[in-house]
Amino acid sequence: MRHRPLFRIALGLAALLVLAFLADRCWPLPPPPQYSPLVLAQDGTVLHAYLNPTQKWRMKTELPEITPALQAAIIAKEDRYFRYHLGVNPVAIVQAAGRNLLGHGRTTGASTITMQVARLLEPKERTFRNKLLEILRAGQLEAHFSKAEILQLYLNLVPYGSNIEGVKSAALLYFQQPPDYLSLAQTVTLAIIPNRPAGLVLGRDNAQIVRERNRWLRYFGRQKLFPAQDIADALLEPLDARRHPAPTLAPHLARRLVQSQPGAALVRSTLRPATQAKAENLARNYVRRLATLGISQAAVLVVNNQTHAVEAYVGSVDFQDNSTLGQVDGVRAVRSPGSTLKPLLYGLAFDRGLLTPKTVLPDVPTNFQGFRPENFDKHCQGEVTMERALTYSLNIPAVRVLAEVGVEKLTGTLRKAGFRQVARDAPRLGLSTILGGCGATLEELTGLYSALANGGRWQKLKIINEELKIDPTAAKKGTAAKPTRQSLIINSKFLLSEASAYLLTDILAQRTRPDLPIDAAAGRHLPRIAWKTGTSYGRRDAWSLGYNRQYTIGVWVGNFSGQGSPALTGADVASPLLFDLFNALAYNGAGDWFAPSASLDFRLVCAETGLVPGDNCPTQLLDYYLPGVSGGQRCQHQQEVLTSADGRYSYCRACAPASGYRRTLFPNVRPEVLAFRESQGLPTRRLPPHNPACRLVRGAEAAGTTGPEAAPLLAITSPAAHAEYVLNAAEKPQLLLSCAAAGEVHQVYWYVNDRFLQAAPATARVFFRPQPGEVKISCADDHGRTVNVRVLVREL
């Protein structure tokens, strides 16, 4: 019997707990507040802020931002027993009831911070019934949240007039500082306004706010809440507060991140505020100077090569300028990449052993199964080294190399590097891909060049700060926790070998090149970078992408409307901005440069072909190569020929006389190069006609070839094989017949549909009028070689 009262008490408490549990399930807490989406920089500062769905500035204050001074001021002013009660202060309720009923003293409501949170979460008319509901909600809040979380909710919901709610919103919009950077005077200012948000408006009632602030500062001083010197300094601090616009840096990235994480109050990006501000200002001021040239937009991406983090993201020069389509994100817009893919192509050729930097390539008009590329300046150089072909961005050599590497190999590598449009269009892409005949974005191209800066290793660029967690202490110092090496190799893909990546860097860092901006060396500090430019067809897009050890920067300049401009070239328009960006971000960054890969070595090569020297290669030079990978073909740029004593005829081994002949060296030039030289009036040297008394016909396999791949000794260069020609019958048009033949060929014979047409010199241009339908065209040389092409002729 003695334990019955205790049992009844325990039973009652259990019943109360069950009832509380059931009530909590039946009347759950209101949903969490809808915050203003904030995009944060790498150091935690706010880059961009948006209104919440109810069109209010309600920015979420994180627990580390609630400083001890802010906590002390709020608690001392609003609810000094906040840390001890369970949501309701019974003593305060009794005192308030007595004052209100007896009419003595100031009328109060005895609301605790927890009760105010309940009211702010569910705003209701102030009645006795609603006050009881607040009390119940306060107990519910105390059961679900810690004191720190309740205080955080309060500071996120308190009103500051107009559409501003929360201490972080007020701190940023009035003081342009986060809460944890405010002075004591500013902190107390924000602590006193929520009770009178309509009567104490910052920027309008500053004098009245100062008086109220100082009154509370003196009260806090009497309570020994803060050191006396801090109070004295705060009393002297002037109040220069007014409403400022919300932060709007990186609007394109901010929109992208907020759309990718709907409902998130805080999105942590990898951007650095100082880097972003510099990039935006440089791009904006630069494009202003281009307005007279009909150029209105630019986009910039800055990537940290060590972390693969994007540190600046400029989608356009003015997000609010609708006349130039400023809301288009130039970082993600799909455009023609121009010549910017050429380094990757040559790197693939290095890794397949097809080329080395000194390999000589033909640069002559060439028909690639109906595709006739032209160089940017419409001129050909005959033969060029691979490194010159890249630094001068020559189109014809690049198409020739792509034909050998394979379009599928190039597009497959681009797919690995995240080129989404290329992946979709891969089955339809051809040789024009290397000249910009595909779609790419600035983000994809910058990631590709960042892979070159990382030894050929590609990793997806990071715009969300997930792995680089910010320590609050480090954030105040402006530093971030460094990523581990293991975190950096996740999802890495090797596009090229480290050796090939270095060779490309060495070539792209050369400054003797045509895409160096006019007067660049004299007019500005030239950063030490490796860079490549590109210009799309119709001069609609100008590109310049560069890198050093620290950064990779991509620049696009043009018009989002797609309108071209005669001045729009990568060299003259995009590269100056690229150089300005490197000078602003890494002016003295040239000390740490790339070192050659251990898998590279040097060898002597023939200066005429870039191949391993043969017996007749007197001029030799050093060249990089990849041991065990690079081809070892020996040079045959000169061939020994047996000629008659007077030089009129040449002999083969079968018809050479026992005596009376000479051994003479003749150039062993590709037929197409020889034809080009003769067409340009350049000095050439053909072999003498073969001994007419010789009855043997030499096969093509006996002649030998030059260059990295076998070249035909006789080829029809016009018309194009399998081409369709639509002719106007009224104009009586004619088709051109031309060929490229070896140096030993002097005479060729043309046939149409197996009927003899005429004989002509090997370099002559022959015209004839074809009949409609399928036409077979044959060409035979004076050594018995024959080639054929078929074309389709239609008449209008």
Side-chain angles (χ1 to χ4, degrees), residues 125-171:
E125 185 181 356
R126 295 199 177 194
T127 64
F128 181 74
R129 176 178 177 278
N130 289 337
K131 179 64 69 174
L132 289 178
L133 289 177
E134 283 180 21
I135 292 174
L136 294 174
R137 283 293 194 199
Q140 195 176 12
L141 286 169
E142 292 281 347
H144 281 271
F145 299 105
S146 67
K147 288 292 186 180
E149 290 170 333
I150 293 172
L151 184 61
Q152 181 186 18
L153 272 173
Y154 174 78
L155 292 174
N156 283 329
L157 295 170
V158 288
Y160 283 92
S162 185
N163 64 339
I164 300 177
E165 292 185 2
V167 68
K168 186 168 187 173
S169 303

CSV table of all heavy atoms in Angstrom, one decimal, residues 125-171:
chain,number,residue,atom,x,y,z
A,125,GLU,N,-3.5,35.2,-35.3
A,125,GLU,CA,-3.9,36.4,-34.5
A,125,GLU,C,-3.6,36.2,-33.0
A,125,GLU,O,-3.7,35.0,-32.5
A,125,GLU,CB,-5.4,36.5,-34.7
A,125,GLU,CG,-6.0,37.8,-34.1
A,125,GLU,CD,-7.5,37.9,-34.3
A,125,GLU,OE1,-8.0,37.1,-35.1
A,125,GLU,OE2,-8.1,38.9,-33.8
A,126,ARG,N,-3.3,37.2,-32.4
A,126,ARG,CA,-2.9,37.1,-30.9
A,126,ARG,C,-4.2,37.1,-30.1
A,126,ARG,O,-4.8,38.1,-29.8
A,126,ARG,CB,-2.0,38.3,-30.5
A,126,ARG,CG,-0.7,38.3,-31.2
A,126,ARG,CD,0.3,39.2,-30.5
A,126,ARG,NE,1.6,39.1,-31.1
A,126,ARG,CZ,2.7,39.6,-30.6
A,126,ARG,NH1,2.7,40.1,-29.4
A,126,ARG,NH2,3.9,39.5,-31.2
A,127,THR,N,-4.5,35.8,-29.7
A,127,THR,CA,-5.7,35.6,-28.8
A,127,THR,C,-5.2,34.7,-27.7
A,127,THR,O,-4.1,34.0,-27.8
A,127,THR,CB,-6.8,35.0,-29.6
A,127,THR,OG1,-6.4,33.7,-30.1
A,127,THR,CG2,-7.3,35.9,-30.8
A,128,PHE,N,-6.1,34.5,-26.7
A,128,PHE,CA,-5.7,33.7,-25.6
A,128,PHE,C,-5.6,32.2,-26.0
A,128,PHE,O,-4.8,31.5,-25.6
A,128,PHE,CB,-6.8,33.8,-24.5
A,128,PHE,CG,-6.5,32.9,-23.3
A,128,PHE,CD1,-5.5,33.3,-22.4
A,128,PHE,CD2,-7.3,31.8,-23.0
A,128,PHE,CE1,-5.3,32.4,-21.3
A,128,PHE,CE2,-7.0,31.0,-21.9
A,128,PHE,CZ,-6.0,31.3,-21.1
A,129,ARG,N,-6.6,31.8,-26.9
A,129,ARG,CA,-6.5,30.4,-27.4
A,129,ARG,C,-5.3,30.2,-28.2
A,129,ARG,O,-4.6,29.1,-28.0
A,129,ARG,CB,-7.8,30.2,-28.3
A,129,ARG,CG,-7.8,28.8,-29.0
A,129,ARG,CD,-9.0,28.7,-29.8
A,129,ARG,NE,-9.1,27.4,-30.5
A,129,ARG,CZ,-8.4,27.2,-31.7
A,129,ARG,NH1,-7.7,28.1,-32.3
A,129,ARG,NH2,-8.5,26.0,-32.2
A,130,ASN,N,-4.9,31.1,-29.0
A,130,ASN,CA,-3.7,30.9,-29.8
A,130,ASN,C,-2.4,30.9,-28.9
A,130,ASN,O,-1.4,30.3,-29.3
A,130,ASN,CB,-3.6,32.0,-30.9
A,130,ASN,CG,-4.6,31.8,-32.0
A,130,ASN,OD1,-5.1,30.7,-32.2
A,130,ASN,ND2,-4.9,32.8,-32.7
A,131,LYS,N,-2.5,31.7,-27.8
A,131,LYS,CA,-1.4,31.7,-26.9
A,131,LYS,C,-1.2,30.3,-26.3
A,131,LYS,O,-0.1,29.8,-26.1
A,131,LYS,CB,-1.6,32.7,-25.8
A,131,LYS,CG,-0.4,32.8,-24.8
A,131,LYS,CD,0.9,33.2,-25.4
A,131,LYS,CE,0.8,34.7,-25.8
A,131,LYS,NZ,2.2,35.1,-26.3
A,132,LEU,N,-2.3,29.6,-25.9
A,132,LEU,CA,-2.2,28.3,-25.4
A,132,LEU,C,-1.6,27.3,-26.5
A,132,LEU,O,-0.9,26.4,-26.1
A,132,LEU,CB,-3.6,27.8,-25.0
A,132,LEU,CG,-4.2,28.5,-23.8
A,132,LEU,CD1,-5.7,27.9,-23.5
A,132,LEU,CD2,-3.4,28.2,-22.5
A,133,LEU,N,-2.0,27.5,-27.7
A,133,LEU,CA,-1.5,26.7,-28.8
A,133,LEU,C,0.0,26.9,-28.9
A,133,LEU,O,0.8,26.0,-29.1
A,133,LEU,CB,-2.2,27.0,-30.1
A,133,LEU,CG,-3.6,26.5,-30.2
A,133,LEU,CD1,-4.2,26.9,-31.6
A,133,LEU,CD2,-3.7,25.0,-30.1
A,134,GLU,N,0.5,28.2,-28.7
A,134,GLU,CA,1.9,28.5,-28.8
A,134,GLU,C,2.6,27.7,-27.7
A,134,GLU,O,3.7,27.2,-27.9
A,134,GLU,CB,2.1,30.0,-28.6
A,134,GLU,CG,1.9,30.8,-29.9
A,134,GLU,CD,2.1,32.2,-29.6
A,134,GLU,OE1,2.9,32.6,-28.7
A,134,GLU,OE2,1.6,33.1,-30.4
A,135,ILE,N,2.0,27.7,-26.5
A,135,ILE,CA,2.7,27.0,-25.3
A,135,ILE,C,2.8,25.5,-25.7
A,135,ILE,O,3.9,24.9,-25.4
A,135,ILE,CB,1.8,27.2,-24.1
A,135,ILE,CG1,1.9,28.7,-23.6
A,135,ILE,CG2,2.3,26.3,-23.0
A,135,ILE,CD1,1.0,29.0,-22.5
A,136,LEU,N,1.8,24.9,-26.2
A,136,LEU,CA,1.9,23.5,-26.6
A,136,LEU,C,2.9,23.2,-27.7
A,136,LEU,O,3.7,22.3,-27.6
A,136,LEU,CB,0.5,23.0,-27.0
A,136,LEU,CG,-0.6,23.0,-26.0
A,136,LEU,CD1,-1.9,22.6,-26.6
A,136,LEU,CD2,-0.2,22.0,-24.8
A,137,ARG,N,2.9,24.1,-28.7
A,137,ARG,CA,3.9,24.0,-29.8
A,137,ARG,C,5.3,24.2,-29.2
A,137,ARG,O,6.3,23.5,-29.7
A,137,ARG,CB,3.6,25.0,-30.8
A,137,ARG,CG,2.5,24.7,-31.8
A,137,ARG,CD,2.8,23.5,-32.6
A,137,ARG,NE,1.9,23.3,-33.7
A,137,ARG,CZ,1.6,22.2,-34.4
A,137,ARG,NH1,2.3,21.1,-34.1
A,137,ARG,NH2,0.8,22.2,-35.4
A,138,ALA,N,5.5,25.0,-28.2
A,138,ALA,CA,6.8,25.3,-27.6
A,138,ALA,C,7.3,24.0,-27.0
A,138,ALA,O,8.5,23.6,-27.2
A,138,ALA,CB,6.7,26.4,-26.6
A,139,GLY,N,6.4,23.3,-26.2
A,139,GLY,CA,6.9,22.0,-25.7
A,139,GLY,C,7.2,21.0,-26.7
A,139,GLY,O,8.2,20.2,-26.6
A,140,GLN,N,6.4,21.0,-27.8
A,140,GLN,CA,6.7,20.1,-28.9
A,140,GLN,C,8.1,20.4,-29.6
A,140,GLN,O,8.9,19.5,-29.9
A,140,GLN,CB,5.6,20.2,-29.9
A,140,GLN,CG,5.5,19.1,-31.0
A,140,GLN,CD,4.3,19.2,-31.9
A,140,GLN,OE1,3.7,20.2,-31.9
A,140,GLN,NE2,4.1,18.1,-32.6
A,141,LEU,N,8.4,21.7,-29.8
A,141,LEU,CA,9.7,22.1,-30.3
A,141,LEU,C,10.8,21.7,-29.4
A,141,LEU,O,11.9,21.2,-29.9
A,141,LEU,CB,9.7,23.6,-30.6
A,141,LEU,CG,8.8,24.1,-31.7
A,141,LEU,CD1,8.7,25.7,-31.6
A,141,LEU,CD2,9.5,23.7,-33.0
A,142,GLU,N,10.6,21.8,-28.1
A,142,GLU,CA,11.7,21.5,-27.2
A,142,GLU,C,12.0,20.0,-27.2
A,142,GLU,O,13.1,19.5,-27.0
A,142,GLU,CB,11.3,21.9,-25.8
A,142,GLU,CG,11.3,23.4,-25.6
A,142,GLU,CD,12.7,24.0,-25.4
A,142,GLU,OE1,13.6,23.2,-25.1
A,142,GLU,OE2,12.8,25.2,-25.4
A,143,ALA,N,10.9,19.2,-27.5
A,143,ALA,CA,11.1,17.7,-27.6
A,143,ALA,C,11.8,17.3,-28.9
A,143,ALA,O,12.5,16.3,-28.9
A,143,ALA,CB,9.7,17.1,-27.5
A,144,HIS,N,11.7,18.1,-29.9
A,144,HIS,CA,12.2,17.7,-31.2
A,144,HIS,C,13.6,18.3,-31.5
A,144,HIS,O,14.4,17.7,-32.3
A,144,HIS,CB,11.3,18.1,-32.3
A,144,HIS,CG,10.1,17.2,-32.5
A,144,HIS,ND1,10.2,16.1,-33.3
A,144,HIS,CD2,8.9,17.2,-31.9
A,144,HIS,CE1,9.0,15.4,-33.3
A,144,HIS,NE2,8.2,16.1,-32.4
A,145,PHE,N,13.9,19.5,-30.9
A,145,PHE,CA,15.1,20.2,-31.3
A,145,PHE,C,15.9,20.5,-30.1
A,145,PHE,O,15.4,20.7,-28.9
A,145,PHE,CB,14.8,21.5,-32.0
A,145,PHE,CG,14.0,21.3,-33.3
A,145,PHE,CD1,12.7,21.6,-33.4
A,145,PHE,CD2,14.7,20.8,-34.4
A,145,PHE,CE1,12.0,21.4,-34.6
A,145,PHE,CE2,14.0,20.7,-35.6
A,145,PHE,CZ,12.6,20.9,-35.7
A,146,SER,N,17.2,20.7,-30.3
A,146,SER,CA,18.1,21.2,-29.2
A,146,SER,C,17.9,22.7,-29.0
A,146,SER,O,17.3,23.4,-29.9
A,146,SER,CB,19.6,20.8,-29.6
A,146,SER,OG,20.0,21.6,-30.7
A,147,LYS,N,18.5,23.2,-28.0
A,147,LYS,CA,18.4,24.6,-27.7
A,147,LYS,C,19.1,25.4,-28.8
A,147,LYS,O,18.6,26.5,-29.3
A,147,LYS,CB,19.0,25.0,-26.4
A,147,LYS,CG,18.2,24.5,-25.2
A,147,LYS,CD,16.9,25.3,-25.0
A,147,LYS,CE,16.2,25.0,-23.7
A,147,LYS,NZ,14.9,25.8,-23.6
A,148,ALA,N,20.2,24.9,-29.3
A,148,ALA,CA,21.0,25.6,-30.4
A,148,ALA,C,20.1,25.6,-31.6
A,148,ALA,O,20.1,26.7,-32.4
A,148,ALA,CB,22.3,24.9,-30.6
A,149,GLU,N,19.4,24.5,-31.9
A,149,GLU,CA,18.6,24.5,-33.1
A,149,GLU,C,17.4,25.4,-33.0
A,149,GLU,O,17.0,26.0,-34.0
A,149,GLU,CB,18.2,23.1,-33.4
A,149,GLU,CG,19.3,22.2,-33.8
A,149,GLU,CD,18.9,20.7,-33.9
A,149,GLU,OE1,18.0,20.3,-33.1
A,149,GLU,OE2,19.5,20.0,-34.7
A,150,ILE,N,16.8,25.5,-31.8
A,150,ILE,CA,15.7,26.4,-31.6
A,150,ILE,C,16.1,27.9,-31.8
A,150,ILE,O,15.5,28.7,-32.4
A,150,ILE,CB,15.1,26.2,-30.3
A,150,ILE,CG1,14.4,24.8,-30.2
A,150,ILE,CG2,14.1,27.3,-29.9
A,150,ILE,CD1,13.9,24.4,-28.9
A,151,LEU,N,17.3,28.2,-31.2
A,151,LEU,CA,17.8,29.5,-31.4
A,151,LEU,C,18.1,29.8,-32.8
A,151,LEU,O,17.9,31.0,-33.3
A,151,LEU,CB,19.1,29.7,-30.5
A,151,LEU,CG,19.7,31.1,-30.5
A,151,LEU,CD1,18.7,32.1,-30.0
A,151,LEU,CD2,21.0,31.1,-29.7
A,152,GLN,N,18.6,28.8,-33.5
A,152,GLN,CA,18.9,29.0,-35.0
A,152,GLN,C,17.6,29.3,-35.7
A,152,GLN,O,17.6,30.2,-36.6
A,152,GLN,CB,19.6,27.7,-35.5
A,152,GLN,CG,19.9,27.8,-37.0
A,152,GLN,CD,20.4,26.5,-37.6
A,152,GLN,OE1,20.3,25.5,-37.0
A,152,GLN,NE2,21.1,26.6,-38.7
A,153,LEU,N,16.5,28.5,-35.4
A,153,LEU,CA,15.3,28.8,-36.1
A,153,LEU,C,14.8,30.2,-35.8
A,153,LEU,O,14.3,30.9,-36.7
A,153,LEU,CB,14.2,27.8,-35.6
A,153,LEU,CG,14.1,26.4,-36.3
A,153,LEU,CD1,13.2,25.5,-35.6
A,153,LEU,CD2,13.7,26.6,-37.7
A,154,TYR,N,14.9,30.6,-34.6
A,154,TYR,CA,14.5,32.0,-34.2
A,154,TYR,C,15.2,33.0,-35.0
A,154,TYR,O,14.6,34.0,-35.6
A,154,TYR,CB,14.7,32.2,-32.7
A,154,TYR,CG,14.4,33.6,-32.3
A,154,TYR,CD1,13.1,34.1,-32.1
A,154,TYR,CD2,15.4,34.5,-32.0
A,154,TYR,CE1,12.8,35.4,-31.7
A,154,TYR,CE2,15.2,35.8,-31.6
A,154,TYR,CZ,13.9,36.3,-31.4
A,154,TYR,OH,13.6,37.5,-31.1
A,155,LEU,N,16.5,32.9,-35.1
A,155,LEU,CA,17.3,33.9,-35.8
A,155,LEU,C,17.1,33.8,-37.3
A,155,LEU,O,17.4,34.8,-38.0
A,155,LEU,CB,18.8,33.6,-35.5
A,155,LEU,CG,19.3,33.9,-34.1
A,155,LEU,CD1,20.7,33.5,-33.9
A,155,LEU,CD2,19.1,35.4,-33.7
A,156,ASN,N,16.6,32.7,-37.8
A,156,ASN,CA,16.3,32.6,-39.2
A,156,ASN,C,14.9,33.2,-39.6
A,156,ASN,O,14.6,33.4,-40.7
A,156,ASN,CB,16.3,31.2,-39.7
A,156,ASN,CG,17.7,30.7,-39.8
A,156,ASN,OD1,18.6,31.4,-40.2
A,156,ASN,ND2,17.9,29.4,-39.6
A,157,LEU,N,14.0,33.4,-38.5
A,157,LEU,CA,12.7,33.8,-38.8
A,157,LEU,C,12.3,35.2,-38.3
A,157,LEU,O,11.3,35.8,-38.7
A,157,LEU,CB,11.7,32.8,-38.2
A,157,LEU,CG,11.7,31.4,-38.7
A,157,LEU,CD1,10.9,30.4,-37.9
A,157,LEU,CD2,11.2,31.4,-40.1
A,158,VAL,N,13.1,35.8,-37.5
A,158,VAL,CA,12.8,37.1,-36.9
A,158,VAL,C,12.6,38.2,-38.0
A,158,VAL,O,13.4,38.2,-38.9
A,158,VAL,CB,13.8,37.6,-35.8
A,158,VAL,CG1,13.7,36.7,-34.6
A,158,VAL,CG2,15.2,37.5,-36.4
A,159,PRO,N,11.6,39.1,-37.9
A,159,PRO,CA,11.4,40.0,-39.0
A,159,PRO,C,12.3,41.3,-38.8
A,159,PRO,O,12.6,41.7,-37.7
A,159,PRO,CB,9.9,40.4,-38.8
A,159,PRO,CG,9.7,40.2,-37.3
A,159,PRO,CD,10.6,39.1,-36.9
A,160,TYR,N,12.7,41.8,-39.9
A,160,TYR,CA,13.5,43.1,-40.0
A,160,TYR,C,12.8,44.1,-40.9
A,160,TYR,O,13.5,45.0,-41.4
A,160,TYR,CB,14.9,42.8,-40.4
A,160,TYR,CG,15.7,42.2,-39.3
A,160,TYR,CD1,15.8,40.8,-39.2
A,160,TYR,CD2,16.4,42.9,-38.4
A,160,TYR,CE1,16.5,40.2,-38.2
A,160,TYR,CE2,17.1,42.4,-37.4
A,160,TYR,CZ,17.2,41.0,-37.3
A,160,TYR,OH,17.9,40.4,-36.2
A,161,GLY,N,11.5,44.0,-41.1
A,161,GLY,CA,10.8,45.0,-41.9
A,161,GLY,C,10.9,44.6,-43.4
A,161,GLY,O,11.8,43.9,-43.8
A,162,SER,N,9.9,45.1,-44.1
A,162,SER,CA,9.7,44.9,-45.5
A,162,SER,C,9.7,43.3,-45.7
A,162,SER,O,8.9,42.7,-45.0
A,162,SER,CB,10.8,45.5,-46.3
A,162,SER,OG,10.6,45.4,-47.7
A,163,ASN,N,10.4,42.8,-46.6
A,163,ASN,CA,10.4,41.4,-46.9
A,163,ASN,C,11.7,40.7,-46.4
A,163,ASN,O,12.1,39.7,-46.9
A,163,ASN,CB,10.2,41.1,-48.4
A,163,ASN,CG,11.3,41.6,-49.2
A,163,ASN,OD1,12.1,42.5,-48.8
A,163,ASN,ND2,11.5,41.1,-50.4
A,164,ILE,N,12.3,41.3,-45.4
A,164,ILE,CA,13.6,40.8,-44.8
A,164,ILE,C,13.3,40.0,-43.6
A,164,ILE,O,12.7,40.6,-42.6
A,164,ILE,CB,14.6,41.9,-44.6
A,164,ILE,CG1,14.9,42.6,-45.9
A,164,ILE,CG2,15.9,41.3,-44.0
A,164,ILE,CD1,15.8,43.8,-45.7
A,165,GLU,N,13.7,38.8,-43.5
A,165,GLU,CA,13.5,37.9,-42.3
A,165,GLU,C,14.8,37.2,-42.0
A,165,GLU,O,15.5,36.8,-43.0
A,165,GLU,CB,12.4,36.9,-42.5
A,165,GLU,CG,11.0,37.5,-42.6
A,165,GLU,CD,10.0,36.4,-42.7
A,165,GLU,OE1,10.3,35.2,-42.6
A,165,GLU,OE2,8.8,36.8,-42.8
A,166,GLY,N,15.2,37.1,-40.8
A,166,GLY,CA,16.4,36.4,-40.3
A,166,GLY,C,17.6,37.3,-40.2
A,166,GLY,O,17.7,38.3,-41.0
A,167,VAL,N,18.4,37.0,-39.3
A,167,VAL,CA,19.6,37.8,-39.0
A,167,VAL,C,20.6,37.8,-40.1
A,167,VAL,O,21.3,38.8,-40.3
A,167,VAL,CB,20.2,37.4,-37.6
A,167,VAL,CG1,20.8,36.0,-37.7
A,167,VAL,CG2,21.2,38.4,-37.1
A,168,LYS,N,20.7,36.7,-40.8
A,168,LYS,CA,21.7,36.6,-41.9
A,168,LYS,C,21.2,37.5,-43.1
A,168,LYS,O,22.0,38.2,-43.7
A,168,LYS,CB,21.8,35.2,-42.4
A,168,LYS,CG,22.9,35.0,-43.4
A,168,LYS,CD,23.2,33.6,-43.7
A,168,LYS,CE,24.4,33.4,-44.6
A,168,LYS,NZ,24.9,32.0,-44.6
A,169,SER,N,19.9,37.5,-43.4
A,169,SER,CA,19.4,38.4,-44.4
A,169,SER,C,19.7,39.9,-44.0
A,169,SER,O,20.1,40.7,-44.9
A,169,SER,CB,17.9,38.2,-44.6
A,169,SER,OG,17.6,36.9,-44.9
A,170,ALA,N,19.4,40.2,-42.8
A,170,ALA,CA,19.6,41.6,-42.4
A,170,ALA,C,21.1,42.0,-42.4
A,170,ALA,O,21.5,43.1,-42.8
A,170,ALA,CB,19.1,41.8,-41.0
A,171,ALA,N,22.0,41.1,-41.9
A,171,ALA,CA,23.4,41.3,-41.9
A,171,ALA,C,23.9,41.6,-43.3
A,171,ALA,O,24.7,42.5,-43.6
A,171,ALA,CB,24.2,40.2,-41.2
